[in-house]
Amino acid sequence: MRSVCSLPRLTAIAAAVLVLAACGRDVREDAPFMGESFDSDETYSRTYELPPAQVCSAARLALLGQGYAVAKSSDDAVEASKNFQPEDDVHTQLSVRVSCVSRGNDRSLLFVSALLDRYVMRKSSNSASVGVGGIGSLSLPVGSREDSLVRTASSTVQDTGFYRRFFERVGFYVPAPSSRDRKPSADEMRREDPPPADLKRGAEATTDPLPQG
């Protein structure tokens, strides 16, 4: 009789183990990096019929023309950033990194990736210690308050439209060989590149603060 009663218990334990294993598998499958397929698409790269120095120069001009602050510029790399404020207490910074790699015979491969950092304004009160005879020191609040930006999220921009518009802008300065003498129209030069769709989604989402190092 005792062995008969233990059979359902063992069955229940085995089922619980299977459920936990299935949950662990789902968690791993849902991890963002597990969805990386490394397909041969051209979301983050383009090939140009020019040396790397000229391609990176065109990328730098494209970023400068859209209000980005260029922090680094060389013959094979460009780094620039631009700030946004989608909400009163929310600030975002979009950092763009460009790499230009030679493919031989005056051909270059341009890689670009954008990182979106989200910051939230946090307020903190100041306090001061006052010595009191016979008691020691007391910590009293002071009327001033300090505002500081705390990073709450950081992610690589996935918006394909953003990268497509970037390469189109670079194309204004690096035309195709068949139209090397073409100049952009006044309307094309005035057209402003809108922020990536990730920026809007980041402003709407609520995220926990990143751990401070």
Side-chain angles (χ1 to χ4, degrees), residues 35-83:
E36 293 289 350
S37 59
F38 288 96
D39 292 334
S40 58
D41 57 11
E42 294 185 343
T43 301
Y44 305 98
S45 64
R46 288 290 189 281
T47 301
Y48 296 93
E49 302 295 331
L50 284 174
Q54 296 185 35
V55 175
C56 266
S57 178
R60 179 178 62 86
L61 293 175
L63 293 168
L64 287 172
Q66 298 302 304
Y68 285 81
V70 176
K72 173 184 177 182
S73 179
S74 64
D75 290 345
D76 59 359
V78 179
E79 294 182 5
S81 62
K82 188 175 182 179
N83 296 318

Side-chain angles (χ1 to χ4, degrees), residues 89-91 119-122 147-152 212:
D89 294 334
V90 176
H91 301 259
Y119 299 85
V120 174
M121 185 73 71
R122 297 290 170 84
D147 296 339
S148 59
L149 290 175
V150 179
R151 188 175 64 174
T152 60
Q212 301 297 313

Side-chain angles (χ1 to χ4, degrees), residues 31 33 53 89 111 136 195 202 205:
F33 59 85
D89 294 334
F111 294 93

Side-chain angles (χ1 to χ4, degrees), residues 150-183:
V150 179
R151 188 175 64 174
T152 60
S154 182
S155 62
T156 299
V157 173
Q158 304 290 329
D159 182 15
T160 57
F162 170 79
Y163 294 105
R164 173 182 53 78
R165 295 190 299 270
F166 169 78
F167 288 122
E168 289 177 353
R169 181 64 63 177
V170 173
F172 292 154
Y173 302 96
V174 183
S178 59
S179 58
R180 191 62 64 83
D181 297 330
R182 172 184 175 274
K183 294 183 179 179

Side-chain angles (χ1 to χ4, degrees), residues 85-166:
Q85 189 173 357
E87 299 176 12
D88 291 341
D89 294 334
V90 176
H91 301 259
T92 56
Q93 184 178 71
L94 189 61
S95 302
V96 178
R97 295 177 175 85
V98 174
S99 297
C100 304
V101 181
S102 175
R103 301 293 289 175
N105 298 326
D106 288 339
R107 296 178 71 248
S108 303
L109 193 59
L110 186 152
F111 294 93
V112 60
S113 63
L115 180 68
L116 182 63
D117 290 323
R118 183 170 183 264
Y119 299 85
V120 174
M121 185 73 71
R122 297 290 170 84
K123 300 180 181 296
S124 59
S125 300
N126 290 332
S127 60
S129 296
V130 179
V132 180
I135 299 179
S137 62
L138 298 178
S139 181
L140 302 177
V142 181
S144 63
R145 300 177 65 89
E146 290 185 354
D147 296 339
S148 59
L149 290 175
V150 179
R151 188 175 64 174
T152 60
S154 182
S155 62
T156 299
V157 173
Q158 304 290 329
D159 182 15
T160 57
F162 170 79
Y163 294 105
R164 173 182 53 78
R165 295 190 299 270
F166 169 78

